[in-house]
Amino acid sequence: NAGVMQNPRHLVRRRGQEARLRCSPMKGHSHVYWYRQLPEEGLKFMVYLQKENIIDESGMPKERFSAEFPKEGPSILRIQQVVRGDSAAYFCASSPLRDGVNSPLHFGNGTRLTVT
Amino acid sequence: QKEVEQNSGPLSVPEGAIASLNCTYSDRGSQSFFWYRQYSGKSPELIMFIYSNGDKEDGRFTAQLNKASQYVSLLIRDSQPSDSATYLCAVNGAAGNKLTFGGGTRVLVKP
């Protein structure tokens, strides 16, 4: 399966713990996008990365959230000191082009984070 | 004003009828427009994309774009119960580096 791979599918964390979400883009794609979806809401853009660069992080909360896409390995979305409001589905998508114009995003199956 | 707006629904459609979904966007420089389908608890799945004014047909789906009116729509012909899902409109703005999604329209196709 050459699709976007996310893991884990489900993640349960207690308040104050750290959550690490992983995303491997489709083969041949070098650009990764993270989106968050709260229950009964639409997808909200968080961050757009290419290898070793953050291109646009305008949707990232100012504190506790960080993202990286190293030269080797998957992209990581890290949430420190999680709170109940962080409970959501986090989707990763990838595209082959720098700006995604004329290139649809392909989404992974998501990680469903539950903070207890 | 939201950047991408959709009626949340639910849009109830009899089986075999046409479902018509609408989406408006605020960024006049938007270049690419996408429709995704999302079943409950699943990830978004691309069903259509359109870049130029006019209609684009793919099977039972037709996307319509009117850039002057900043409006994009999706028609689902011969609706089936399996079409029951939330349909997300997404727009790639002038900056071109991310998709902005509407809140989605929930469609219910009744047998």
Side-chain angles (χ1 to χ4, degrees):
Chain A
N1 186 346
V4 178
M5 302 300 293
Q6 288 188 252
N7 67 81
R9 292 290 301 275
H10 300 276
L11 182 60
V12 179
R13 285 288 178 266
R14 292 181 178 174
R15 279 181 299 169
Q17 291 185 319
E18 178 180 289
R20 291 171 69 88
L21 288 62
R22 296 175 185 78
C23 170
S24 296
M26 284 182 72
K27 189 175 182 180
H29 290 190
S30 56
H31 302 278
V32 164
Y33 305 74
W34 286 93
Y35 284 79
R36 176 166 63 175
Q37 188 172 37
L38 295 170
E40 306 301 321
E41 293 190 13
L43 289 156
K44 301 297 184 189
F45 169 79
M46 299 182 75
V47 62
Y48 161 40
L49 314 99
Q50 67 177 92
K51 290 281 187 181
E52 300 184 282
N53 277 313
I54 297 175
I55 307 301
D56 182 348
E57 56 181 346
S58 58
M60 288 280 271
K62 294 286 187 281
E63 297 177 348
R64 302 187 298 108
F65 285 73
S66 62
E68 63 176 2
F69 190 14
K71 187 176 181 181
E72 301 291 337
S75 175
I76 305 287
L77 179 67
R78 182 181 178 206
I79 311 172
Q80 295 178 290
Q81 300 174 340
V82 296
V83 301
R84 289 216 172 104
D86 296 333
S87 296
Y90 292 83
F91 290 100
C92 172
S94 70
S95 77
L97 295 175
R98 171 176 171 77
D99 58 12
V101 176
N102 294 345
S103 177
L105 298 187
H106 299 269
F107 284 86
N109 287 327
T111 294
R112 278 143 186 90
L113 173 65
T114 302
V115 179
T116 62
Chain B
Q1 180 190 11
K2 291 183 180 177
E3 292 181 64
V4 180
E5 293 207 54
Q6 298 180 252
N7 188 322
S8 61
L11 175 66
S12 186
V13 178
E15 184 175 358
I18 296 176
S20 178
L21 291 76
N22 303 318
C23 172
T24 58
Y25 59 94
S26 61
D27 184 349
R28 190 168 284 279
S30 297
Q31 303 178 44
S32 316
F33 307 86
F34 305 86
W35 284 99
Y36 286 82
R37 177 176 61 198
Q38 187 176 29
Y39 293 111
S40 181
K42 303 295 185 183
S43 61
E45 171 193 10
L46 178 71
I47 53 173
M48 287 285 295
F49 57 89
I50 186 167
Y51 309 130
S52 305
N53 278 328
D55 295 0
K56 179 181 178 183
E57 187 174 315
D58 184 359
R60 295 186 296 111
F61 299 99
T62 298
Q64 299 173 315
L65 175 61
N66 184 327
K67 288 187 178 180
S69 300
Q70 295 174 242
Y71 173 95
V72 58
S73 65
L74 179 71
L75 300 178
I76 308 174
R77 289 183 301 281
D78 188 24
S79 296
Q80 302 297 308
S82 60
D83 294 326
S84 297
T86 296
Y87 290 79
L88 302 168
C89 171
V91 176
N92 198 328
N97 62 352
K98 65 189 181 193
L99 289 186
T100 300
F101 284 81
T105 298
R106 192 156 68 97
V107 172
L108 296 174
V109 180
K110 297 186 175 180

